[in-house]
Amino acid sequence: MGTGEQVEQRKGASSRFTIWATTEQVVLVASMFWVLAANRRFLQAALHDRPLNDWHTWGFGLALVAMLVALHFVLLALLANRWTLKPLLGVLTVATVFAIHYMQRYGIYLDPSMLRNVLRTDVAEAGELLGWTLVPDLVLYGALPLLLLSRVRVVRRSWRTALGVRAASMAAALAVLVGCGLLVFQPLASLMRTQKEVRYLITPANYLWSLAAVTAQDARGAAGPRQVVGSDAALGPLARQRTRPLVVVLVVGETARAANWGLNGYARQTTPELAALDVVNFREVTACGTSTEVSLPCMFAPVGRRDYDESRIRNSESILHTLARAGVDVLWRDNQSGCKGVCDGLPSETVAALHPAGLCEDGRCLDEGLLVGLDERLRRAHGTQLLVLHQLGNHGPSYFRRYPPAFARFQPACASDDLRHCTSLEIVNAYDNALLYTDHLLASVIAKLRAASSRTDSVLLYVSDHGESLGENNLFLHGIPFAIAPRVQTRVPMVMWLSEGARATLGVDEQCLRQRASQPASHDHLAHTLLGVLDVRTRVYEPAWDLLHGCRRSSVAMAGG
Ligand SMILES: [Zn+2]
């Protein structure tokens, strides 16, 4: 063995463009390269709002870098050997260029659902995505490293030595990972608590993890496909005989709580624009969950909270699939973290990918981006359409990032991503300012629907996904298990508006609807109210859970189940 190594070494020395290295050395260099080249957004997000002149910031940053290098080293060292090293690094180098490019350009997080989107991208979409802007990234992060990799010759060692070195180097990397983790435990734990999603910025670990998660989900899904909801769904006579198009805009709010909603009688007017419009405000609405992950699938399931079964909901289609199958034109437009499975396989788009001018920064867009092209859509509308707008809303803890300066009305407002740096008044001010912006967004949608009302009937329905704690009982943010959650996390605002034409065709009694709105309602009503308004007939429909059912003239109301 020893002589073989010497012979190869000599050959290597004679060839000028060859780099001799051990597998561990190559893996270490690759890990360091990716951590520095591909993790800018992660480090920015992790260190955001920390003072540059504080050595704690630098210590935390260095510890994060060391941990990332160690993490990638361990992952790669598990898979790399003399034979797999080059193909493995080659594939990862190319994939990582695309990851870096799209994460920076579109501000995406490469979580399992995003990876699913990527894997579902068809050829036409991919063609649009492959722009010239990709070329510099391909050269810098792809071609150069690959050129270097092609010059590498792996040093041969006896399997005994190789095994020993591998085990020792992996142990050292794990020690660095754990050691640094303990050193910066406090800020790291707070980061993971308040901004859990930043872990999906760690590249290339993010897409490797997401790929594994998607594969595992698919393996489980293959055992039992999503259960069909309302296989009998079909458009009713009202929808079939429609002469004017009907567009229902459902705005799914984020983290808006009923307690701070101006229309609900909050001490501050946080909904001045809606208050000047003839909207119907539902005062007492209970959410289905206290987090987006729980609420979204539940809101779009006909069983809802009253017959709650999480795995059943996750393994079933959402009401959007039912509506689409019946012939409703469904589009999900997202300005947040995706639709949590409820729009899987249905037309969907993200605001970041629409590039609304002046509204996006660091991959996050203001909610007005949801309105891009809405006028045009309304002008060209036909048939029955459902447009779901998923807001970023009051997504915490950085409430101050959710609204443009014009809405910074309540002052002083907390301007830190870390709520511990702010007084409770500053936190509430920033939170309420974000509500002012949602008020403006909803009023803008109504203005657009009104402007198009000479040819298009329309309905706006707004409901938040869950509430928020703003320091009451020392609780912040949300996500407390539903059974023990405080009211501020489970009570949400809900608003409805119908155009003149929609009111007439649906036969809605305004007085009756306002009366209904003063009674308790919940997310459980959403699916059935949508079926009713869009006139989709199915045995899944339960009139008792349709908020409009009791308020429609019998001649045009749905004939029960
Ligand atoms: Zn949410």
mmCIF file of all heavy atoms in Angstrom, residues 111-113 196-197 199-200 217 254 288-299 308 310 313-314 336-342 390 465-466 478-479:
data_model
loop_
_atom_site.group_PDB
_atom_site.id
_atom_site.type_symbol
_atom_site.label_atom_id
_atom_site.label_comp_id
_atom_site.label_asym_id
_atom_site.label_seq_id
_atom_site.Cartn_x
_atom_site.Cartn_y
_atom_site.Cartn_z
ATOM 1 N N ASP A 111 -37.977 25.119 2.178
ATOM 2 C CA ASP A 111 -38.570 24.136 3.077
ATOM 3 C C ASP A 111 -39.238 23.052 2.227
ATOM 4 O O ASP A 111 -39.285 23.162 0.997
ATOM 5 C CB ASP A 111 -39.536 24.811 4.044
ATOM 6 C CG ASP A 111 -40.700 25.466 3.320
ATOM 7 O OD1 ASP A 111 -40.739 25.410 2.084
ATOM 8 O OD2 ASP A 111 -41.562 26.033 4.004
ATOM 9 N N PRO A 112 -39.742 21.995 2.863
ATOM 10 C CA PRO A 112 -40.314 20.906 2.056
ATOM 11 C C PRO A 112 -41.382 21.363 1.066
ATOM 12 O O PRO A 112 -41.394 20.911 -0.080
ATOM 13 C CB PRO A 112 -40.882 19.964 3.121
ATOM 14 C CG PRO A 112 -39.973 20.157 4.300
ATOM 15 C CD PRO A 112 -39.635 21.622 4.292
ATOM 16 N N SER A 113 -42.276 22.299 1.477
ATOM 17 C CA SER A 113 -43.330 22.663 0.535
ATOM 18 C C SER A 113 -42.764 23.462 -0.640
ATOM 19 O O SER A 113 -43.231 23.327 -1.773
ATOM 20 C CB SER A 113 -44.446 23.443 1.237
ATOM 21 O OG SER A 113 -43.972 24.654 1.731
ATOM 22 N N LYS A 196 -38.118 30.457 13.554
ATOM 23 C CA LYS A 196 -37.830 29.054 13.262
ATOM 24 C C LYS A 196 -37.512 28.834 11.783
ATOM 25 O O LYS A 196 -36.732 27.973 11.422
ATOM 26 C CB LYS A 196 -39.033 28.208 13.668
ATOM 27 C CG LYS A 196 -38.660 27.106 14.630
ATOM 28 C CD LYS A 196 -39.794 26.116 14.793
ATOM 29 C CE LYS A 196 -40.889 26.658 15.680
ATOM 30 N NZ LYS A 196 -42.067 25.826 15.797
ATOM 31 N N GLU A 197 -38.168 29.645 10.917
ATOM 32 C CA GLU A 197 -38.028 29.373 9.488
ATOM 33 C C GLU A 197 -36.626 29.670 8.949
ATOM 34 O O GLU A 197 -36.291 29.235 7.864
ATOM 35 C CB GLU A 197 -39.095 30.120 8.689
ATOM 36 C CG GLU A 197 -38.921 31.628 8.596
ATOM 37 C CD GLU A 197 -39.456 32.380 9.807
ATOM 38 O OE1 GLU A 197 -39.804 31.730 10.815
ATOM 39 O OE2 GLU A 197 -39.494 33.617 9.762
ATOM 40 N N ARG A 199 -33.966 28.348 9.608
ATOM 41 C CA ARG A 199 -33.186 27.125 9.378
ATOM 42 C C ARG A 199 -33.302 26.672 7.921
ATOM 43 O O ARG A 199 -32.431 25.981 7.417
ATOM 44 C CB ARG A 199 -33.604 26.017 10.337
ATOM 45 C CG ARG A 199 -35.012 25.482 10.131
ATOM 46 C CD ARG A 199 -35.373 24.553 11.279
ATOM 47 N NE ARG A 199 -36.590 23.805 11.052
ATOM 48 C CZ ARG A 199 -37.805 24.275 11.270
ATOM 49 N NH1 ARG A 199 -37.954 25.495 11.732
ATOM 50 N NH2 ARG A 199 -38.869 23.544 11.036
ATOM 51 N N TYR A 200 -34.372 27.106 7.262
ATOM 52 C CA TYR A 200 -34.519 26.735 5.855
ATOM 53 C C TYR A 200 -33.701 27.635 4.929
ATOM 54 O O TYR A 200 -33.831 27.595 3.722
ATOM 55 C CB TYR A 200 -35.999 26.748 5.453
ATOM 56 C CG TYR A 200 -36.763 25.610 6.079
ATOM 57 C CD1 TYR A 200 -37.813 25.839 6.955
ATOM 58 C CD2 TYR A 200 -36.397 24.294 5.809
ATOM 59 C CE1 TYR A 200 -38.492 24.794 7.541
ATOM 60 C CE2 TYR A 200 -37.072 23.236 6.398
ATOM 61 C CZ TYR A 200 -38.121 23.494 7.262
ATOM 62 O OH TYR A 200 -38.787 22.457 7.837
ATOM 63 N N GLN A 217 -42.589 11.946 3.014
ATOM 64 C CA GLN A 217 -44.025 12.245 2.927
ATOM 65 C C GLN A 217 -44.661 11.458 1.787
ATOM 66 O O GLN A 217 -45.735 10.876 1.943
ATOM 67 C CB GLN A 217 -44.238 13.738 2.638
ATOM 68 C CG GLN A 217 -44.218 14.628 3.869
ATOM 69 C CD GLN A 217 -44.163 16.110 3.475
ATOM 70 O OE1 GLN A 217 -44.338 16.457 2.309
ATOM 71 N NE2 GLN A 217 -43.903 16.957 4.450
ATOM 72 N N GLU A 254 -53.164 37.161 8.668
ATOM 73 C CA GLU A 254 -52.116 36.518 9.455
ATOM 74 C C GLU A 254 -51.973 37.227 10.799
ATOM 75 O O GLU A 254 -51.700 38.425 10.837
ATOM 76 C CB GLU A 254 -50.786 36.547 8.680
ATOM 77 C CG GLU A 254 -49.579 36.081 9.473
ATOM 78 C CD GLU A 254 -49.688 34.646 9.953
ATOM 79 O OE1 GLU A 254 -50.101 33.782 9.160
ATOM 80 O OE2 GLU A 254 -49.353 34.390 11.134
ATOM 81 N N CYS A 288 -59.520 28.111 14.261
ATOM 82 C CA CYS A 288 -59.437 26.662 14.425
ATOM 83 C C CYS A 288 -58.154 26.246 15.117
ATOM 84 O O CYS A 288 -58.059 25.171 15.685
ATOM 85 C CB CYS A 288 -59.536 25.984 13.077
ATOM 86 S SG CYS A 288 -59.554 24.210 13.222
ATOM 87 N N GLY A 289 -57.153 27.098 15.076
ATOM 88 C CA GLY A 289 -55.882 26.760 15.715
ATOM 89 C C GLY A 289 -55.182 28.021 16.163
ATOM 90 O O GLY A 289 -55.714 29.126 16.002
ATOM 91 N N THR A 290 -54.006 27.873 16.718
ATOM 92 C CA THR A 290 -53.243 29.047 17.152
ATOM 93 C C THR A 290 -51.964 29.195 16.340
ATOM 94 O O THR A 290 -51.077 29.943 16.714
ATOM 95 C CB THR A 290 -52.873 28.958 18.643
ATOM 96 O OG1 THR A 290 -52.045 27.808 18.830
ATOM 97 C CG2 THR A 290 -54.101 28.838 19.515
ATOM 98 N N SER A 291 -51.858 28.457 15.232
ATOM 99 C CA SER A 291 -50.704 28.618 14.350
ATOM 100 C C SER A 291 -51.163 28.443 12.911
ATOM 101 O O SER A 291 -52.215 27.850 12.656
ATOM 102 C CB SER A 291 -49.629 27.578 14.672
ATOM 103 O OG SER A 291 -50.076 26.306 14.270
ATOM 104 N N THR A 292 -50.385 28.981 11.990
ATOM 105 C CA THR A 292 -50.731 28.866 10.575
ATOM 106 C C THR A 292 -50.798 27.399 10.161
ATOM 107 O O THR A 292 -51.706 26.989 9.438
ATOM 108 C CB THR A 292 -49.671 29.597 9.718
ATOM 109 O OG1 THR A 292 -49.412 30.863 10.309
ATOM 110 C CG2 THR A 292 -50.142 29.794 8.305
ATOM 111 N N GLU A 293 -49.826 26.614 10.658
ATOM 112 C CA GLU A 293 -49.734 25.189 10.307
ATOM 113 C C GLU A 293 -51.026 24.433 10.639
ATOM 114 O O GLU A 293 -51.429 23.541 9.912
ATOM 115 C CB GLU A 293 -48.582 24.529 11.078
ATOM 116 C CG GLU A 293 -47.211 25.046 10.751
ATOM 117 C CD GLU A 293 -46.724 24.565 9.395
ATOM 118 O OE1 GLU A 293 -47.228 23.529 8.919
ATOM 119 O OE2 GLU A 293 -45.868 25.249 8.807
ATOM 120 N N VAL A 294 -51.642 24.801 11.773
ATOM 121 C CA VAL A 294 -52.862 24.108 12.198
ATOM 122 C C VAL A 294 -54.091 24.756 11.569
ATOM 123 O O VAL A 294 -54.962 24.077 11.019
ATOM 124 C CB VAL A 294 -52.982 24.113 13.740
ATOM 125 C CG1 VAL A 294 -54.344 23.567 14.175
ATOM 126 C CG2 VAL A 294 -51.859 23.297 14.354
ATOM 127 N N SER A 295 -54.138 26.105 11.628
ATOM 128 C CA SER A 295 -55.350 26.805 11.191
ATOM 129 C C SER A 295 -55.650 26.626 9.705
ATOM 130 O O SER A 295 -56.787 26.360 9.326
ATOM 131 C CB SER A 295 -55.229 28.301 11.488
ATOM 132 O OG SER A 295 -55.507 28.560 12.840
ATOM 133 N N LEU A 296 -54.644 26.784 8.867
ATOM 134 C CA LEU A 296 -54.906 26.785 7.436
ATOM 135 C C LEU A 296 -55.566 25.483 6.946
ATOM 136 O O LEU A 296 -56.629 25.526 6.339
ATOM 137 C CB LEU A 296 -53.610 27.092 6.658
ATOM 138 C CG LEU A 296 -53.668 28.355 5.814
ATOM 139 C CD1 LEU A 296 -54.146 29.535 6.615
ATOM 140 C CD2 LEU A 296 -52.341 28.647 5.162
ATOM 141 N N PRO A 297 -54.949 24.313 7.216
ATOM 142 C CA PRO A 297 -55.612 23.084 6.770
ATOM 143 C C PRO A 297 -57.012 22.945 7.365
ATOM 144 O O PRO A 297 -57.935 22.483 6.700
ATOM 145 C CB PRO A 297 -54.679 21.979 7.293
ATOM 146 C CG PRO A 297 -53.345 22.631 7.441
ATOM 147 C CD PRO A 297 -53.646 24.050 7.852
ATOM 148 N N CYS A 298 -57.182 23.387 8.616
ATOM 149 C CA CYS A 298 -58.464 23.239 9.296
ATOM 150 C C CYS A 298 -59.535 24.166 8.717
ATOM 151 O O CYS A 298 -60.674 23.772 8.515
ATOM 152 C CB CYS A 298 -58.249 23.514 10.783
ATOM 153 S SG CYS A 298 -59.714 23.273 11.782
ATOM 154 N N MET A 299 -59.138 25.431 8.394
ATOM 155 C CA MET A 299 -60.092 26.390 7.829
ATOM 156 C C MET A 299 -60.676 25.895 6.517
ATOM 157 O O MET A 299 -61.813 26.188 6.176
ATOM 158 C CB MET A 299 -59.365 27.713 7.500
ATOM 159 C CG MET A 299 -58.952 28.527 8.670
ATOM 160 S SD MET A 299 -57.721 29.777 8.180
ATOM 161 C CE MET A 299 -58.767 31.066 7.516
ATOM 162 N N TYR A 308 -62.606 17.774 15.113
ATOM 163 C CA TYR A 308 -61.213 17.918 14.729
ATOM 164 C C TYR A 308 -60.424 16.613 14.741
ATOM 165 O O TYR A 308 -60.476 15.842 15.688
ATOM 166 C CB TYR A 308 -60.521 18.933 15.646
ATOM 167 C CG TYR A 308 -59.164 19.346 15.129
ATOM 168 C CD1 TYR A 308 -59.049 20.051 13.939
ATOM 169 C CD2 TYR A 308 -58.006 19.022 15.817
ATOM 170 C CE1 TYR A 308 -57.821 20.429 13.448
ATOM 171 C CE2 TYR A 308 -56.764 19.402 15.332
ATOM 172 C CZ TYR A 308 -56.678 20.102 14.143
ATOM 173 O OH TYR A 308 -55.458 20.472 13.652
ATOM 174 N N GLU A 310 -56.602 15.985 13.153
ATOM 175 C CA GLU A 310 -55.540 16.565 12.335
ATOM 176 C C GLU A 310 -55.083 15.649 11.203
ATOM 177 O O GLU A 310 -54.944 16.073 10.068
ATOM 178 C CB GLU A 310 -54.340 16.945 13.217
ATOM 179 C CG GLU A 310 -53.229 17.555 12.372
ATOM 180 C CD GLU A 310 -52.181 18.299 13.172
ATOM 181 O OE1 GLU A 310 -52.342 18.447 14.403
ATOM 182 O OE2 GLU A 310 -51.193 18.734 12.545
ATOM 183 N N ILE A 313 -57.577 15.506 8.433
ATOM 184 C CA ILE A 313 -57.564 16.721 7.618
ATOM 185 C C ILE A 313 -56.364 16.727 6.680
ATOM 186 O O ILE A 313 -56.481 17.011 5.487
ATOM 187 C CB ILE A 313 -57.550 17.982 8.527
ATOM 188 C CG1 ILE A 313 -58.914 18.142 9.206
ATOM 189 C CG2 ILE A 313 -57.204 19.230 7.730
ATOM 190 C CD1 ILE A 313 -59.010 19.289 10.184
ATOM 191 N N ARG A 314 -55.190 16.371 7.219
ATOM 192 C CA ARG A 314 -53.983 16.387 6.381
ATOM 193 C C ARG A 314 -54.026 15.336 5.280
ATOM 194 O O ARG A 314 -53.394 15.496 4.250
ATOM 195 C CB ARG A 314 -52.740 16.187 7.249
ATOM 196 C CG ARG A 314 -52.410 17.416 8.029
ATOM 197 C CD ARG A 314 -51.027 17.399 8.612
ATOM 198 N NE ARG A 314 -50.867 18.506 9.541
ATOM 199 C CZ ARG A 314 -50.591 19.756 9.189
ATOM 200 N NH1 ARG A 314 -50.415 20.056 7.922
ATOM 201 N NH2 ARG A 314 -50.490 20.706 10.098
ATOM 202 N N GLN A 336 -46.791 34.645 2.036
ATOM 203 C CA GLN A 336 -46.261 34.143 3.287
ATOM 204 C C GLN A 336 -45.526 32.846 3.088
ATOM 205 O O GLN A 336 -44.759 32.700 2.142
ATOM 206 C CB GLN A 336 -47.406 33.996 4.289
ATOM 207 C CG GLN A 336 -46.969 34.267 5.711
ATOM 208 C CD GLN A 336 -47.897 33.567 6.651
ATOM 209 O OE1 GLN A 336 -47.549 32.558 7.250
ATOM 210 N NE2 GLN A 336 -49.103 34.073 6.759
ATOM 211 N N SER A 337 -45.792 31.880 3.937
ATOM 212 C CA SER A 337 -44.981 30.663 3.913
ATOM 213 C C SER A 337 -45.666 29.526 3.170
ATOM 214 O O SER A 337 -45.425 28.369 3.457
ATOM 215 C CB SER A 337 -44.682 30.251 5.343
ATOM 216 O OG SER A 337 -45.898 30.173 6.063
ATOM 217 N N GLY A 338 -46.547 29.847 2.225
ATOM 218 C CA GLY A 338 -47.196 28.784 1.464
ATOM 219 C C GLY A 338 -48.548 28.424 2.044
ATOM 220 O O GLY A 338 -48.959 28.955 3.073
ATOM 221 N N CYS A 339 -49.253 27.501 1.360
ATOM 222 C CA CYS A 339 -50.653 27.233 1.717
ATOM 223 C C CYS A 339 -50.809 26.015 2.602
ATOM 224 O O CYS A 339 -51.916 25.581 2.857
ATOM 225 C CB CYS A 339 -51.498 27.109 0.461
ATOM 226 S SG CYS A 339 -51.140 25.627 -0.507
ATOM 227 N N LYS A 340 -49.705 25.464 3.092
ATOM 228 C CA LYS A 340 -49.757 24.325 4.027
ATOM 229 C C LYS A 340 -50.562 23.151 3.469
ATOM 230 O O LYS A 340 -51.311 22.491 4.181
ATOM 231 C CB LYS A 340 -50.348 24.749 5.377
ATOM 232 C CG LYS A 340 -49.770 26.025 5.952
ATOM 233 C CD LYS A 340 -48.298 25.900 6.261
ATOM 234 C CE LYS A 340 -47.706 27.241 6.663
ATOM 235 N NZ LYS A 340 -46.250 27.250 6.597
ATOM 236 N N GLY A 341 -50.436 22.951 2.173
ATOM 237 C CA GLY A 341 -51.062 21.778 1.563
ATOM 238 C C GLY A 341 -52.461 22.001 1.030
ATOM 239 O O GLY A 341 -52.949 21.207 0.242
ATOM 240 N N VAL A 342 -53.145 23.101 1.434
ATOM 241 C CA VAL A 342 -54.537 23.230 1.012
ATOM 242 C C VAL A 342 -54.678 23.589 -0.464
ATOM 243 O O VAL A 342 -55.741 23.396 -1.041
ATOM 244 C CB VAL A 342 -55.331 24.242 1.877
ATOM 245 C CG1 VAL A 342 -55.248 23.893 3.343
ATOM 246 C CG2 VAL A 342 -54.872 25.653 1.650
ATOM 247 N N HIS A 390 -53.185 35.207 0.474
ATOM 248 C CA HIS A 390 -52.627 34.820 1.786
ATOM 249 C C HIS A 390 -51.640 35.891 2.231
ATOM 250 O O HIS A 390 -50.548 35.990 1.696
ATOM 251 C CB HIS A 390 -51.956 33.445 1.673
ATOM 252 C CG HIS A 390 -51.519 32.885 2.980
ATOM 253 N ND1 HIS A 390 -50.528 31.944 3.094
ATOM 254 C CD2 HIS A 390 -51.942 33.136 4.241
ATOM 255 C CE1 HIS A 390 -50.367 31.643 4.378
ATOM 256 N NE2 HIS A 390 -51.201 32.347 5.088
ATOM 257 N N ASP A 465 -55.970 33.982 10.454
ATOM 258 C CA ASP A 465 -55.762 32.554 10.733
ATOM 259 C C ASP A 465 -55.705 32.236 12.228
ATOM 260 O O ASP A 465 -56.082 31.155 12.655
ATOM 261 C CB ASP A 465 -54.514 32.013 9.990
ATOM 262 C CG ASP A 465 -53.214 32.674 10.429
ATOM 263 O OD1 ASP A 465 -53.260 33.746 11.067
ATOM 264 O OD2 ASP A 465 -52.146 32.111 10.131
ATOM 265 N N HIS A 466 -55.223 33.167 13.009
ATOM 266 C CA HIS A 466 -55.162 33.003 14.470
ATOM 267 C C HIS A 466 -54.806 34.353 15.052
ATOM 268 O O HIS A 466 -54.471 35.273 14.301
ATOM 269 C CB HIS A 466 -54.121 31.953 14.877
ATOM 270 C CG HIS A 466 -52.783 32.204 14.263
ATOM 271 N ND1 HIS A 466 -51.927 33.181 14.717
ATOM 272 C CD2 HIS A 466 -52.187 31.652 13.175
ATOM 273 C CE1 HIS A 466 -50.854 33.210 13.950
ATOM 274 N NE2 HIS A 466 -50.983 32.299 12.987
ATOM 275 N N HIS A 478 -47.605 33.373 19.218
ATOM 276 C CA HIS A 478 -48.775 32.493 19.263
ATOM 277 C C HIS A 478 -48.308 31.045 19.240
ATOM 278 O O HIS A 478 -47.121 30.785 19.360
ATOM 279 C CB HIS A 478 -49.685 32.799 18.071
ATOM 280 C CG HIS A 478 -48.956 32.751 16.756
ATOM 281 N ND1 HIS A 478 -48.437 33.881 16.146
ATOM 282 C CD2 HIS A 478 -48.607 31.717 15.961
ATOM 283 C CE1 HIS A 478 -47.832 33.538 15.027
ATOM 284 N NE2 HIS A 478 -47.910 32.228 14.890
ATOM 285 N N GLY A 479 -49.229 30.126 19.063
ATOM 286 C CA GLY A 479 -48.835 28.727 18.956
ATOM 287 C C GLY A 479 -49.042 27.922 20.231
ATOM 288 O O GLY A 479 -48.650 26.763 20.312
#
